[in-house]
Amino acid sequence: MSGPIRSMAARYYTDPEVFRIECAGLLARTWQFGCHVSDVAEPGDYATFEVAGESLFAIRGRDDQIRVFYNVCQHRAHQLVSGTGTTRVVVCPYHAWTYELTGQLRGGPNVKAVEGFDPKTVCLTQVRAEEFLGFVFVNLDPDAAPMEDWFPNARAELEAWVPHWSTLKPLEWVEIPENCNWKVSVENYSECYHCALNHLTFANGVVKPETYDIQPQGMCLRHTTECQPPEQMSYDIESGFAHAADYSSWFLWPMFSFQVYPGNVLNTYHWRATDADHVTVWRGWYSVDRAEDAKIRQLARQDRETTVEEDIHLVESVQRGLGSRGYRPGPLVIDPQGGVNSEHPVMHLQRWMRDAIDG
């Protein structure tokens, strides 16, 4: 008889070499969030971001297509852009080599003096990218399967829960630094075994924690639950859309989650790993055309002051414990029936983590 499934060894969360392996492999071969399409709304608009230690930028072309490139000039490797902005062409600040919005080199000072040089042979290195309900995701692996293969049905389900997604823009970004490994934070997000004890506002004013369940759907962890009755909710959930009384979440391995609160309120989690011991969690809240919305502001504040603050203490305590000589990985509580008091989603996460690191 086989014994219980045990949690991963502490080194997976504390060893800088493991983090280096993740940056070179896992984080470079998975779909990662880059920016929102509203950041590059018009031709020439660009936005920079980092994935797996690489500086990248998205830019909208005159053909209205969003392309993502490595942020490096093909001449002498200077970075091309920073932050966000708009431009007619991309000009390297080092030697003024100039690129079209398609990444094709237009020219540079005195390049005609170079015998046999053809600017058409030089182009910025493009990165695989997909638009997903208004969010730009990238994968540094040019041969990666499309997002639909990774996360089957997630797009269609989200469209049903957030039918007005095309009108939504970021109203509020909250950056939450956590002194822990990114996997500790992701695991904490991916189980509600701890919710009733630690998240009283969420458990009593949004969901019915006893009904909470998380099941794999491809490389997506699908969160479902019943919600508290409208009169017990901490805010007005009327929206005029289907699923107004429902909560659901789609965690897209390895570092992003779409979460829909009752009232069809879209919010997101995005993890950006800094090193083996630090991660920043970006909480996004969205409104129609970025219009001021008192309900969404209230929810964001409530979330920040309760669930977010509570989770910071939990994950940082876990990280300290992982550094203890006294820690021995304990058994995961795996209930074949699933449910809120089962850690089966953590089991799936840790399998994906081990495969990525050891495989």
Side-chain angles (χ1 to χ4, degrees):
M1 179 179 178
S2 60
I5 296 171
R6 293 188 174 273
S7 190
M8 294 198 302
R11 70 177 184 85
Y12 287 93
Y13 306 92
T14 60
D15 188 345
E17 177 62 15
V18 169
F19 183 74
R20 187 197 66 78
I21 292 170
E22 289 173 342
C23 288
L26 166 65
L27 303 184
R29 294 198 298 264
T30 49
W31 287 101
Q32 303 279 341
F33 169 63
C35 65
H36 193 265
V37 294
S38 61
D39 294 325
V40 287
E42 300 295 332
D45 289 353
Y46 63 85
T48 59
F49 50 90
E50 188 172 296
V51 170
E54 292 281 0
S55 180
L56 310 173
F57 71 98
I59 190 165
R60 188 180 291 273
R62 293 183 180 85
D63 57 0
D64 207 38
Q65 181 178 343
I66 297 174
R67 297 175 177 86
V68 177
F69 299 103
Y70 285 92
N71 189 15
V72 59
C73 182
Q74 300 299 290
H75 172 221
R76 295 267 299 282
H78 196 282
Q79 289 196 325
L80 294 164
V81 292
S82 61
T84 59
T86 189
T87 185
R88 290 188 305 107
V89 289
V90 178
V91 181
C92 179
Y94 196 11
H95 299 102
W97 277 39
T98 303
Y99 299 85
E100 304 288 358
L101 303 184
T102 59
Q104 178 64 54
L105 179 67
R106 173 186 280 191
N110 207 33
V111 295
K112 292 181 179 178
V114 181
E115 185 178 352
F117 176 68
D118 182 0
K120 293 180 181 178
T121 63
V122 178
C123 189
L124 299 179
T125 305
Q126 193 165 346
V127 176
R128 182 82 178 276
E130 283 193 29
E131 292 180 45
F132 190 101
L133 301 185
F135 296 76
V136 178
F137 285 82
V138 301
N139 195 318
L140 302 188
D141 179 0
D143 299 319
M147 291 184 71
E148 183 62 31
D149 290 0
W150 284 61
F151 315 115
N153 300 321
R155 188 191 304 259
E157 291 170 349
L158 273 157
E159 286 176 336
W161 257 260
V162 193
H164 59 314
W165 66 267
S166 62
T167 67
L168 297 180
K169 296 177 182 177
L171 174 65
E172 181 170 318
W173 280 108
V174 181
E175 295 182 43
I176 308 149
E178 294 179 342
N179 297 317
C180 70
N181 186 271
W182 69 271
K183 297 186 293 297
V184 170
S185 188
V186 163
E187 287 182 8
N188 178 73
Y189 176 82
S190 301
E191 52 96 341
C192 212
Y193 190 28
H194 70 282
C195 288
L197 181 61
N198 293 279
H199 299 316
L200 299 183
T201 299
F202 181 68
N204 296 310
V206 181
V207 303
K208 292 182 179 178
E210 68 274 13
T211 69
Y212 206 100
D213 196 18
I214 306 173
Q215 293 294 337
Q217 188 171 304
M219 302 300 285
C220 169
L221 289 177
R222 181 81 161 81
H223 297 221
T224 57
T225 183
E226 295 178 20
C227 293
Q228 298 290 351
E231 63 273 14
Q232 198 169 324
M233 294 292 293
S234 57
Y235 62 97
D236 179 11
I237 66 171
E238 288 301 320
S239 69
F241 296 124
H243 298 292
D246 299 330
Y247 165 96
S248 210
S249 178
W250 294 256
F251 170 78
L252 308 185
W253 165 257
M255 286 187 169
F256 194 89
S257 187
F258 290 98
Q259 189 166 263
V260 184
Y261 269 36
N264 309 89
V265 178
L266 177 66
N267 56 100
T268 57
Y269 279 77
H270 174 50
W271 290 262
R272 290 194 187 275
T274 305
D275 54 33
D277 303 309
H278 299 88
V279 64
T280 299
V281 184
W282 290 46
R283 289 288 278 117
W285 296 85
Y286 306 84
S287 67
V288 174
D289 292 326
R290 203 177 278 113
E292 192 58 42
D293 190 307
K295 178 173 69 176
I296 294 173
R297 291 289 192 188
Q298 174 200 340
L299 271 174
R301 184 173 60 253
Q302 173 182 298
D303 175 75
R304 189 165 59 246
E305 294 174 354
T306 58
T307 306
V308 167
E309 187 65 29
E310 291 151 4
D311 276 334
I312 290 172
H313 294 292
L314 295 174
V315 298
E316 292 189 349
S317 177
V318 169
Q319 189 71 21
R320 290 191 295 271
L322 288 165
S324 171
R325 298 176 184 176
Y327 176 63
R328 304 290 183 271
L332 295 174
V333 177
I334 309 298
D335 187 331
Q337 304 302 314
V340 69
N341 290 323
S342 178
E343 294 173 299
H344 58 281
V346 176
M347 174 188 71
H348 291 294
L349 278 176
Q350 293 191 353
R351 284 177 179 169
W352 298 343
M353 292 168 182
R354 284 194 186 96
D355 288 346
I357 296 166
D358 299 334

